[in-house]
Amino acid sequence: MQRQFLKAPPPIRQLTSWELPSLGGGTISSEAFAGKTVLATTETGPCDAACVERQKTFGLAVHHVDDLGGKVVLLTLVDDEAREGLAPVIAAATPAWRFGGGSAAQLEPVLSQLQLGLDQFLEPPSANFAKAHVIVLIDQNNAVRGYWMHDGAGRGNSINAARLLAKHGPTP
């Protein structure tokens, strides 16, 4: 009965192919994530204690999807300014939680696509994706499925949506 009512959100925006330098955990590209569901967030600018704590909390999602056999991957996009503050967290990267990024120029193609998706989701003027610390869900076909706030409810809802996509595919 519950399966009738639980559905992952429909696609918002199809992303074009993308790739970023890996900072830890494995290859970071749309090709590497083909067939996987991705929960992603971004840290740009200097990374203080709140930034580190936010990422540690985001990384706890691994424990809620580890039973799915690698079908869900967490991704933190990091610019050069945030890299130093996140160094201890990045050092703990795994194939289940990866870090990618680099200079503003390297991140721009990916961030601009995610910003366009957020604009479609919220209708302009929306939040600045790179600064809002939202969680974005990308399906197995490289399509954005939704954005959630980085709070308890948002993390829970994004994890539930990722689980549904991982279990039932992008077109259930």
Side-chain angles (χ1 to χ4, degrees), residues 42-101:
T42 303
E43 291 294 346
T44 58
C47 188
D48 58 10
C51 161
V52 172
E53 190 59 34
R54 187 171 41 250
Q55 285 308 306
K56 286 181 178 178
T57 302
F58 173 69
L60 294 174
V62 167
H63 303 297
H64 299 283
V65 298
D66 58 359
D67 63 313
L68 299 171
K71 291 182 178 180
V72 176
V73 176
L74 274 60
L75 171 62
T76 300
L77 303 171
V78 180
D79 74 359
D80 286 339
E81 284 188 79
R83 186 187 302 185
E84 184 179 335
L86 284 172
V89 181
I90 293 170
T94 68
W97 184 17
R98 303 177 193 195
F99 292 81

Side-chain angles (χ1 to χ4, degrees), residues 87-159:
V89 181
I90 293 170
T94 68
W97 184 17
R98 303 177 193 195
F99 292 81
S103 69
Q106 289 171 305
L107 280 171
E108 196 280 327
V110 177
L111 294 182
S112 65
Q113 289 191 71
L114 295 173
Q115 181 66 53
L116 288 170
L118 185 59
D119 291 344
Q120 281 181 254
F121 186 68
L122 294 178
E123 298 183 15
S126 69
N128 178 328
F129 174 76
K131 300 288 184 187
H133 309 296
V134 296
I135 300 168
V136 60
L137 175 63
I138 303 169
D139 73 14
Q140 299 93 322
N141 295 329
N142 198 35
V144 172
R145 289 298 189 107
Y147 295 84
W148 289 267
M149 296 301 298
H150 199 289
D151 58 15
R155 285 188 304 275
N157 290 331
S158 66
I159 290 167

Side-chain angles (χ1 to χ4, degrees), residues 18-51:
W18 56 273
E19 183 174 1
L20 288 169
S22 176
L23 304 177
T27 305
I28 310 298
S29 71
S30 53
E31 287 183 11
F33 296 135
K36 297 185 183 292
T37 302
V38 178
L39 287 171
T41 191
T42 303
E43 291 294 346
T44 58
C47 188
D48 58 10
C51 161

